[in-house]
């Protein structure tokens, strides 16, 4: 068995199962940095593979095209021939999706590992020579053990597998930079001779461009848990600053000033302290829920509740922001045109998974608003797909009646009562807001859910400016229907129910 692994120390052929946001960019960078390695990225989806082989890649990521076009057809190949790619590989990355389960045991919390299991069973069925299997997907702790069991239960005498954990830390929008200059590369594996050989073999691939001190070797479970922990900490930071933003809106404190002040503390640091409409993306919520489920399974209910609050706070923030829009629009959005700028979950990606925009649109549609949407990188089909997803609970006929997709920001906003910045695309900072103001109904409302606009300038133009975590415009209209009984104590109020009339009145520009 030992000899079987010694011959594999030099990796010549890598296969990646799953050509998504992780598999595609990660393997493109490996191909670029390791010209002696043949890299095959395979997927079940013919359309996705066709797109990887075309001039219009299936995902938008700054810098990705240049990397793919420089290696494709040389040592980088995209294919649906999964079996052939498995057979040829010395090392296989499993980069398939691990969404939150929508059915059965653990529904709404546990990760759905059916794609991981299917990939592992396929490897076991096809492989005729020993291989290193690398778990790149984000998985619960001990998933590598399950993969190992599936593989070893099906292995023949002279075929051996070593399973490693090598979680991916790239962030969409900056994936290429993150892959080129990673903060760290984690490799977890069995603490045996064969396990260490496999870890070293994978490390030798990364060493071709990542400084050795950034390649961290550890046991498999630490590696698996570190990925969940990192995403939980990042999500928690966003929920923490968003919780502070609710206090700011009720008191007159300014969330950007507060974030700056606390970020100056070197123990806290300044990154990831931007208040917003809430986090989105395919990972944060899923991975925190994954952690919550793990804690519940380990009979750690207090730890589970602690982390679950991070997700609840995120939902609260989205809802609170949508309520604020409705409140400001005289408590009715019915039949009003509202322009939503941005549908991707963050800038520089076309990914809409779990985007805050989906939920804000949902809440506005439930109020009967006509929502016009513009995003520089998200197609009309993708927006409609998200809004008519049965899990969202909107009537597809209502969506088609009330939602329009605009080709640019100006037509999106024309004749609108309000515009709402939901994604922090740079181009939204550069729009001609004087022109926009002229083309809107009055009073014209500007809602900045990403803190990217020049609020003083907008206020001077005449907009009623509403921003996450601060009060900008004074004297904004009273809701027609007060949302709180007059006796409610200021200190007991909850954010979403705050009416403008009951807020503390500090004015910055008014
Ligand atoms: N997207 C991110 O920013 C990011 C960052 C770090 C980690 N991750 C993790 O990486 C994993 C993949 O995420 P993603 O965003 O790339 O997902 P994705 O949905 O974009 O891609 C997954 C791909 O796997 C394919 N697939 C599923 N089962 C398959 C099988 N048996 N054989 C072949 N192909 C199969 C799907 O068709 C799909 O194209 C997830 O576990 C995710 O949590 C994602």
């Amino acid at each position: 068995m030992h000899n079987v692994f010694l011959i594999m120390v030099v990796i010549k052929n890598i296969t990646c199962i799953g050509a998504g946001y992780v598999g595609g960019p990660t393997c493109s960078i490996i191909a670029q940095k390791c010209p002696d390695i043949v890299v095959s990225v395979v997927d079940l989806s013919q359309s996705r593979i066709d797109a990887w082989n075309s001039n219009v890649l299936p995902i938008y990521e700054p810098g990705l095209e240049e990397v793919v076009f420089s290696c494709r057809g040389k040592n980088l190949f995209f294919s649906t021939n999964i079996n052939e790619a498995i057979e040829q590989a010395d090392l296989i990355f499993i980069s398939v999706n691990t969404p939150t389960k929508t059915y059965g045991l653990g529904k709404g919390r546990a990760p759905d590992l059916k794609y991981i299991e299917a990939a592992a069973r396929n490897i076991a069925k096809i492989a005729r020579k020993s291989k290193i299997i690398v778990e790149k997907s984000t998985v619960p702790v001990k998933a590598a053990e399950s993969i190992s069991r599936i593989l070893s239960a099906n292995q023949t005498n002279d075929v051996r597998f070593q399973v490693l954990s090598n979680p991916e830390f790239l962030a969409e929008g900056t994936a290429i930079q993150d892959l080129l200059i990673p903060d760290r590369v984690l490799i977890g594996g069995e603490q045996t001779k064969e396990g260490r050989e496999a870890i070293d073999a994978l490390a030798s691939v990364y060493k071709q461009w990542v400084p050795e001190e950034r390649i961290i070797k550890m046991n498999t479970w630490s590696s698996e848990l570190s990925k969940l922990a990192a995403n939980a900490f990042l999500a928690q930071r966003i929920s923490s600053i968003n919780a502070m933003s609710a206090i700011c809106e009720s008191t007159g404190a300014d969330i950007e000033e507060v974030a700056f002040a606390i970020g100056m503390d070197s123990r806290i640091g300044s990154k990831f302290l931007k208040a917003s409409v809430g986090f989105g993306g395919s990972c944060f919520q899923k991975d925190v829920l994954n952690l919550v489920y793990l804690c519940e399974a380990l009979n750690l209910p207090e730890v589970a509740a602690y982390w679950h609050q991070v997700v609840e706070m995120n939902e609260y923030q989205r809802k609170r922001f949508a309520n604020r829009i409705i409140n400001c629009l005289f408590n009715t959005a019915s039949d009003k045109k509202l322009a939503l700028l941005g549908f991707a979950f963050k800038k520089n990606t076309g990914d809409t998974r779990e985007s805050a925009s989906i939920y804000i649109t949902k809440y506005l549609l439930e109020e009967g608003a006509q929502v016009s949407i513009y995003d520089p990188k998200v197609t009309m089909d993708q927006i409609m797909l998200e809004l008519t997803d049965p899990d969202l609970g909107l009537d597809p006929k209502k969506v088609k009646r009330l939602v329009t997709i605009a080709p640019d920001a100006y037509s999106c906003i024309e004749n609108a009562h309000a515009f709402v910045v939901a994604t922090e695309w740079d181009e939204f900072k550069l729009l001609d807001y004087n022109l926009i103001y002229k083309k809107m109904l009055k009073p014209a409302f500007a809602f900045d859910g990403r803190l990217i606009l020049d609020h003083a300038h907008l206020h001077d133009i005449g907009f009623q400016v509403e921003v996450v975590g601060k009060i900008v415009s004074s004297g904004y209209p009273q809701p027609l229907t007060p949302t709180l009984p007059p006796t409610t104590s200021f200190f007991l109020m909850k954010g979403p129910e705050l009416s403008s009339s009951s807020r503390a009145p500090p004015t910055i520009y008014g």
Side-chain angles (χ1 to χ4, degrees):
M1 175 168 163
H2 295 187
N3 289 339
V4 177
F5 261 88
L6 282 172
I7 56 164
M8 293 201 327
V9 169
V10 179
I11 306 291
K12 287 276 169 209
N13 209 310
I14 289 179
T15 285
C16 175
I17 302 180
Y21 286 85
V22 166
T26 307
C27 285
S28 300
I29 291 292
I30 292 177
Q32 189 187 53
K33 293 293 177 184
C34 310
D36 295 335
I37 297 178
V38 174
V39 182
S40 305
V41 187
V42 294
D43 204 291
L44 292 169
S45 163
Q46 185 67 53
S47 60
R48 213 161 205 189
I49 291 299
D50 288 347
W52 279 112
N53 283 320
S54 77
N55 286 335
V56 185
L57 302 183
I59 62 175
Y60 171 71
E61 193 63 58
L64 177 63
E65 280 186 358
E66 289 84 335
V67 180
V68 172
F69 296 164
S70 71
C71 309
R72 200 173 60 190
K74 293 178 188 156
N75 67 329
L76 174 65
F77 301 93
F78 295 94
S79 154
T80 50
N81 196 340
I82 299 175
N83 293 357
E84 190 183 277
I86 289 175
E87 206 171 337
Q88 286 169 355
D90 303 316
L91 181 148
I92 300 178
F93 285 111
I94 301 182
S95 300
V96 301
N97 37 333
T98 50
T100 304
K101 266 183 97 174
T102 53
Y103 57 89
L105 201 65
K107 176 181 172 180
R109 272 175 159 75
D112 194 341
L113 297 179
K114 68 180 175 191
Y115 304 104
I116 294 266
E117 181 168 342
R121 287 188 183 279
N122 205 23
I123 294 168
K125 191 173 87 188
I126 301 299
R128 293 286 167 270
K129 64 172 188 174
S130 300
K131 294 174 198 305
I132 299 171
I133 310 302
V134 184
E135 183 185 76
K136 190 153 259 313
S137 300
T138 306
V139 288
V141 184
K142 300 250 170 172
E145 196 169 276
S146 308
I147 296 174
S148 283
R149 283 188 62 193
I150 290 168
L151 293 172
S152 57
N154 290 283
Q155 73 194 18
T156 51
N157 280 345
D158 47 358
V159 179
R160 294 285 182 275
F161 300 102
Q162 273 297 322
V163 179
L164 302 179
S165 160
N166 172 221
E168 184 48 62
F169 291 98
L170 68 79
E172 286 176 33
T174 53
I176 297 300
Q177 278 311 302
D178 297 342
L179 289 164
L180 286 173
I181 313 165
D183 289 341
R184 76 303 207 189
V185 169
L186 291 194
I187 307 180
E190 270 181 29
Q191 300 303 302
T192 58
K193 184 172 181 293
E194 299 78 27
R196 279 190 286 271
E197 278 176 9
I199 292 174
D200 288 344
L202 178 56
S204 72
V205 174
Y206 283 111
K207 265 188 219 165
Q208 303 206 33
W209 78 97
V210 179
E212 207 165 339
E213 64 276 11
R214 293 200 179 187
I215 303 174
I216 305 169
K217 301 170 184 177
M218 56 181 63
N219 85 37
T220 318
W221 306 318
S222 304
S223 173
E224 289 174 330
L225 183 57
S226 297
K227 174 63 191 175
L228 293 184
N231 271 359
F233 271 58
L234 290 170
Q236 179 211 45
R237 224 168 134 91
I238 297 176
S239 281
S240 295
I241 199 72
N242 283 343
M244 287 297 154
S245 77
I247 301 176
C248 288
E249 286 167 40
S250 299
T251 58
D254 178 329
I255 194 61
E256 288 190 295
E257 292 177 353
V258 173
F260 180 73
I262 61 176
M264 293 281 283
D265 186 326
S266 58
R267 293 167 303 175
I268 296 173
S270 59
K271 290 186 182 161
F272 247 64
L273 282 181
K274 187 109 172 157
S276 69
V277 282
F279 59 74
S282 65
C283 293
F284 281 174
Q285 176 169 309
K286 161 178 87 74
D287 294 348
V288 175
L289 291 173
N290 185 337
L291 188 65
V292 168
Y293 187 70
L294 180 74
C295 296
E296 286 170 348
L298 296 172
N299 198 20
L300 300 169
E302 290 82 1
V303 187
Y306 173 77
W307 287 111
H308 197 252
Q309 190 58 28
V310 170
V311 173
E312 283 182 11
M313 180 56 62
N314 197 50
E315 164 57 10
Y316 167 78
Q317 185 77 347
R318 297 187 297 225
K319 185 96 197 175
R320 199 171 71 79
F321 187 67
N323 282 358
R324 185 165 165 196
I325 296 171
I326 296 155
N327 255 359
C328 288
L329 293 172
F330 313 100
N331 261 352
T332 174
S334 179
D335 287 331
K336 288 180 178 160
K337 178 178 172 180
L338 308 182
L340 193 81
L341 296 182
F343 203 79
F345 83 91
K346 65 194 284 199
K347 74 172 181 180
N348 293 337
T349 179
D351 195 351
T352 57
R353 290 177 288 182
E354 287 299 325
S355 174
S357 300
I358 299 171
Y359 298 93
I360 292 166
T361 308
K362 171 186 156 89
Y363 301 137
L364 297 178
L365 291 178
E366 284 171 348
E367 291 293 322
Q370 295 170 16
V371 184
S372 172
I373 302 173
Y374 165 68
D375 187 284
K377 288 289 172 197
V378 184
T379 62
M380 181 194 308
D381 289 350
Q382 182 59 29
I383 293 172
M384 285 306 188
L385 200 69
E386 289 285 13
L387 295 176
T388 53
D389 183 332
D391 288 340
L392 193 63
L394 285 171
D395 174 5
K397 281 192 207 127
K398 186 175 181 179
V399 172
K400 283 178 187 129
R401 185 164 45 85
L402 293 177
V403 174
T404 50
I405 311 298
D408 58 71
Y410 292 102
S411 51
C412 181
I413 300 176
E414 192 163 357
N415 289 326
H417 289 261
F419 74 82
V420 181
V421 174
T423 309
E424 71 278 25
W425 285 103
D426 289 338
E427 70 170 65
F428 299 155
K429 296 183 202 168
L430 306 173
L431 297 173
D432 179 347
Y433 284 101
N434 278 302
L435 179 67
I436 285 173
Y437 182 75
K438 284 187 195 127
K439 294 190 165 193
M440 286 177 67
L441 302 184
K442 310 296 179 315
F445 289 86
F447 294 93
D448 185 357
R450 292 288 182 169
L451 292 168
I452 59 165
L453 302 183
D454 181 343
H455 305 129
H457 175 58
L458 292 177
H459 180 82
D460 288 347
I461 292 172
F463 282 102
Q464 197 65 46
V465 185
E466 295 290 326
V467 181
V468 164
K470 60 174 90 179
I471 296 167
V472 176
S473 296
S474 65
Y476 42 95
Q478 306 291 307
L480 296 181
T481 319
T483 49
L484 281 174
T487 50
T488 307
S489 154
F490 175 81
F491 292 103
L492 294 177
M493 288 175 199
K494 284 167 102 185
E497 289 146 12
L498 272 180
S499 68
S500 50
S501 58
S502 57
R503 288 185 208 174
T507 300
I508 296 172
Y509 306 111

